[in-house]
Amino acid sequence: MISREELRRLAEFECRLPNELAVTFYFQPGTPKDKSHREEAIEAKELVRKTLQELEVNGRSREIISDLQRILRLAESLHGNQARAKAVFACSCRKLWSEFDVPAFAAQTRLFVNRRFHLKPLAPLFSEHPHLWVAVVDRHSARFVDVYFDQVNAQSSIENSISRRGRSDGYAGYDAGHAQRHSEDEVRRYFRNVAEFLKSAAERKQFEALVIGCHDLNWPEFERQLHPDVQKKIIGRFSEDLGALSDEKAAAEANRILRQSLEQHHTSLLRETLDQARSNGRGVTGLRRVLRALELGEIDTILMSLNYSARAVECSHCRHLDSHLVPYCSVCGRSTRQLDDVCEALVRTTLKNSIALVLMPPDDSLDRVGNIAALLRFRADRNTNHLLAAS
Ligand SMILES: [Zn+2]
C-alpha cells in the first residue's frame, strides 16, 4: 500500500525540462468473479500501446518511450488472477519508478502523461480511511477486528466468565431464580470489561472509528456501559447473526457502514459549505474564489465533483494559480504556463498542506456553482470584531 509520505513525495515531483514527462498508470483489475477481468488487462495494454504510438509520432524523447514500454510489459504481466489495483509513477529522465498496490476503488485503468503525476484519485485516500475497528459483541464473548484498507487483523477477544464455566448454573434446579440474577450480574460485569477494554484502546489511539456488531436485544445494555469517548467514535452498528460471522464478513460490514457514513458526512459538508457561501460565511464556490482562498490559507476542505477538470494558468516563478488564462502573473509579472487541468496543481497543494479533498458524485447543487467549492477555517478579510458580531 502507498503511504501518506510517499503520496506527499510524489505530489512534490514536477518535471523541470521541456523534454521530461511524468507518467502515471492506474490499473484496476476486475473482481475474481468478474469474467471481464482478462479484458481489463487487454484494455490496459491497448491504452499504453496507443499512447506510445502517439508519443513516437510526436518525436518524444527516448526516456518517456522507455517508461511506457516498461509499463506495457507490466500491463502484459497483469493477466491471470491479479487481485490488486496498481499505480505506477515513472519518470526515467529523473530515474524515478514507483509501483504501488492501491485500494481497488481508487483506481480505474487510466494512463496520464503530464508534467506532474496524476494523484487526484489517491488524494482523498487517507482522510476516507480512518483506522477502523469492529467490535463483535454478544452475551458470551466479544472480539475485535482491526480493518485498515483491505487488511483485516483479528485483535484480542474477551469472554464472559460464566460462559467459560459452561453456563450450567441458572438453567436447572430449584435455585434457578437466584442463578438467573447471578448470571445477569455476570453479563453486566462482562459488558463493563468489554467497554473498559474499548476505552483504553481508544485512549491508546488504536482506532479512529468504531463499528459495533451487536444484537438489538443486547445493545441497550451494552451501550450504557460505553464511555462517551468511545461512543463518539461509533459510526454505526449491525446486528445480523454474529455467531457464524467471520472476521472478513465483519470487516465487509464495517466497510459498508463506513462508506454510508462518509456519504452522509460529505452530503452534509456540501450543504454546510453552500449555505456558508451564500451567507458570505465560511464557504466559497467556483474556481476563482477557491484559488483565492487557497492562497490565503483559509481552506479546510475542498469539495469537487469526481470528474471536475478546468484549465488554468500557473506562474512559473511564484506558483500563483489563475482561472483566467493570462500570459503574465498578476502577482509577480513573470510568465505563466497553461495547465490542462488545474487539479494537478490543486491536489499537490492539498497534500502538501494537509487540506482535505472530497470527490463528490454528480450533484446538481454543486454543478450549479461550477463543480468546485471549499469550506473555510476562517476568512482573512474579516477582523475579529466582524467575527464577534456575526456570532
Ligand atoms: Zn508569479
Side-chain angles (χ1 to χ4, degrees):
M1 246 308 286
I2 193 164
S3 73
R4 219 182 279 245
E5 279 323 300
E6 284 157 337
L7 195 56
R8 286 225 176 93
R9 191 173 50 80
L10 290 167
E12 287 300 318
F13 181 89
E14 191 183 351
C15 294
R16 294 191 210 108
L17 304 168
N19 224 2
E20 289 178 352
L21 281 170
V23 184
T24 309
F25 175 62
Y26 288 104
F27 176 73
Q28 165 68 74
T31 56
K33 278 170 271 167
D34 187 352
K35 287 203 188 75
S36 73
H37 171 71
R38 260 195 80 77
E39 288 154 33
E40 271 291 352
I42 293 166
E43 221 171 84
K45 277 189 285 183
E46 282 308 309
L47 189 65
V48 183
R49 256 192 217 119
K50 215 177 104 218
T51 311
L52 199 51
Q53 273 165 9
E54 281 167 19
L55 288 164
E56 273 168 342
V57 167
N58 292 331
R60 277 298 185 172
S61 71
R62 251 178 303 122
E63 285 81 3
I64 172 78
I65 304 284
S66 82
D67 279 338
L68 285 172
Q69 280 166 344
R70 190 167 168 189
I71 287 172
L72 184 61
R73 284 197 295 279
L74 178 80
E76 279 164 351
S77 72
L78 288 177
H79 51 75
N81 279 325
Q82 174 72 25
R84 282 172 180 270
K86 263 197 182 305
V88 179
F89 305 95
C91 178
S92 56
C93 287
R94 302 264 289 275
K95 310 245 176 308
L96 191 147
W97 175 276
S98 297
E99 220 178 294
F100 298 100
D101 286 336
V102 294
F105 54 84
Q108 211 185 343
T109 300
R110 303 276 296 275
L111 181 69
F112 301 88
V113 179
N114 214 324
R115 292 174 55 83
R116 290 192 178 112
F117 295 122
H118 184 84
L119 300 171
K120 189 171 153 192
L122 300 180
L125 211 59
F126 294 99
S127 56
E128 292 188 358
H129 285 81
H131 225 126
L132 182 65
W133 265 25
V134 200
V136 182
V137 183
D138 64 15
R139 292 179 92 77
H140 311 300
S141 69
R143 60 201 164 93
F144 310 94
V145 182
D146 181 296
V147 185
Y148 193 51
F149 292 102
D150 48 5
Q151 291 160 24
V152 178
N153 290 306
Q155 303 291 302
S156 48
S157 58
I158 297 174
E159 264 186 54
N160 182 353
S161 55
I162 204 157
S163 316
R164 231 177 11 238
R165 286 203 300 271
R167 268 181 281 142
S168 57
D169 26 4
Y171 294 96
Y174 50 87
D175 203 16
H178 171 76
Q180 187 64 41
R181 278 193 303 280
H182 178 66
S183 142
E184 288 305 313
D185 286 345
E186 290 270 1
V187 168
R188 201 169 306 127
R189 200 172 306 139
Y190 147 77
F191 277 159
R192 206 179 304 140
N193 286 343
V194 176
E196 195 53 43
F197 176 80
L198 284 171
K199 179 175 169 254
S200 59
E203 278 166 3
R204 290 196 300 270
K205 300 195 186 335
Q206 284 180 280
F207 60 85
E208 294 164 301
L210 182 65
V211 169
I212 307 270
C214 183
H215 198 279
D216 294 346
L217 285 173
N218 297 326
W219 174 238
E221 198 179 345
F222 176 52
E223 190 188 17
R224 268 198 296 278
Q225 305 287 347
L226 290 171
H227 191 272
D229 289 345
V230 174
Q231 291 194 6
K232 257 185 267 167
K233 294 192 186 297
I234 296 176
I235 56 168
R237 180 175 68 91
F238 60 93
S239 65
E240 58 175 271
D241 184 15
L242 303 172
L245 192 73
S246 69
D247 287 352
E248 281 66 29
K249 188 78 202 305
E253 278 294 313
N255 273 323
R256 183 184 60 79
I257 287 171
L258 174 65
R259 277 194 300 277
Q260 256 174 17
S261 140
L262 274 173
E263 234 167 75
Q264 281 166 8
H265 175 60
H266 292 167
T267 307
S268 67
L269 210 56
L270 176 62
R271 205 176 310 128
E272 188 191 349
T273 305
L274 297 181
D275 285 349
Q276 288 286 341
R278 268 191 291 272
S279 61
N280 286 319
R282 291 181 306 103
V284 287
T285 55
L287 181 60
R288 193 176 58 83
R289 290 191 208 89
V290 169
L291 291 180
R292 183 169 179 273
L294 191 68
E295 284 182 350
L296 291 169
E298 295 174 330
I299 294 183
D300 177 87
T301 305
I302 295 180
L303 301 105
M304 61 167 81
S305 60
L306 198 60
N307 298 318
Y308 178 74
S309 162
R311 284 182 8 178
V313 293
E314 181 181 39
C315 172
S316 48
H317 179 67
C318 75
R319 302 297 182 115
H320 170 69
L321 290 167
D322 209 318
S323 57
H324 299 295
L325 307 181
V326 290
Y328 298 102
C329 173
S330 62
V331 177
C332 75
R334 309 276 183 101
S335 63
T336 61
R337 67 179 185 85
Q338 200 161 310
L339 302 176
D340 291 336
D341 185 3
V342 70
C343 293
E344 58 165 298
L346 274 182
V347 166
R348 172 181 167 272
T349 313
T350 57
L351 287 168
K352 194 176 161 201
N353 300 330
S354 299
I355 293 167
L357 177 67
V358 175
L359 303 178
M360 302 285 299
D363 181 286
D364 284 346
S365 58
L366 188 57
D367 188 53
R368 276 195 291 274
V369 296
N371 283 307
I372 186 164
L375 185 66
L376 310 181
R377 292 184 293 130
F378 64 93
R379 281 185 83 122
D381 59 354
R382 303 231 169 141
N383 61 33
T384 329
N385 289 336
H386 278 106
L387 283 176
L388 286 174
S391 63

